[in-house]
Amino acid sequence: LSSSSAASDVYKRQVLYLLLVGLRLPAAGVSLLVQRGLGISEGSRRALDQILQYVIFSLGVIWAMGRLGFNQTGVLAIAGGLSVGLGFGIKEVFSNIVSGLWLLIEGSVRPGEVLMHEGEACEVRRLGPRATTLWRSGDNAEVVVPNQSFFTAATTTYTRTDRTLSLIHISEPTRPRLI
């Protein structure tokens, strides 16, 4: 190996490392600038951040493959064919991811809200790209709900406009009048 070839390999590895590890910072910076400039909500900013991470990663992988000598046209053609096949194979996962991004942008379900899920009051703990984590106070359990379910079933929220309501956990033998 010549020294220029070894230096080139080190450079390529560093670029790949920065691509995989460092894409959060530029995406977060751009989404913060857009939030301040356009006045978008925090949920929309998080959705934009997630979308920018996917775009930066995808473009970086295509660029890195080109730098490594791969035929980019061929790679994009194969990726297109695979995405169609994967789309049919795991359409529910894609549906949940799109639903999660939509929930973040729309802000119809937010962390901290109290809502009814399957007849029980639950607090939204975390809104992820594929699923939402709810805390059910009745049995102190966390329930992971696919994001798509918020679009296919009616959801009643109690804290969308009234932030004074919250869930508390009460042991079974407690009499309600004492509380």
Side-chain angles (χ1 to χ4, degrees), residues 69-138:
F70 287 93
N71 179 359
Q72 291 177 337
T73 306
V75 170
L76 289 174
I78 291 171
L82 286 175
S83 64
V84 170
L86 286 173
F88 286 120
I90 54 174
K91 68 179 182 177
E92 293 297 320
V93 173
F94 284 137
S95 176
N96 283 321
I97 290 171
V98 169
S99 298
L101 289 173
W102 191 263
L103 287 172
L104 285 170
I105 291 169
E106 186 180 56
S108 57
V109 176
R110 298 177 297 201
E113 285 191 358
V114 176
L115 51 85
M116 292 297 285
H117 176 69
E118 295 180 352
E120 294 195 46
C122 300
E123 179 183 337
V124 178
R125 287 285 170 100
R126 184 177 152 309
L127 188 60
R130 188 194 61 79
T132 299
T133 304
L134 305 175
W135 176 64
R136 193 170 52 207
S137 65

Side-chain angles (χ1 to χ4, degrees), residues 46-68:
R46 285 193 309 247
L48 178 63
D49 184 33
Q50 194 72 37
I51 291 168
L52 286 173
Q53 285 182 34
Y54 293 147
V55 168
I56 292 170
F57 180 76
S58 299
L59 292 175
V61 167
I62 292 168
W63 176 82
M65 292 180 89
R67 298 286 291 173
L68 292 172

Side-chain angles (χ1 to χ4, degrees), residues 134-147:
L134 305 175
W135 176 64
R136 193 170 52 207
S137 65
D139 56 356
N140 197 25
E142 284 193 345
V143 181
V144 179
V145 180
N147 287 329

Side-chain angles (χ1 to χ4, degrees), residues 151-168:
F151 293 96
T152 58
T155 302
T156 305
T157 178
Y158 292 103
T159 55
R160 179 81 178 143
T161 55
D162 181 11
R163 289 288 180 187
T164 59
L165 184 67
S166 63
L167 285 180
I168 57 172

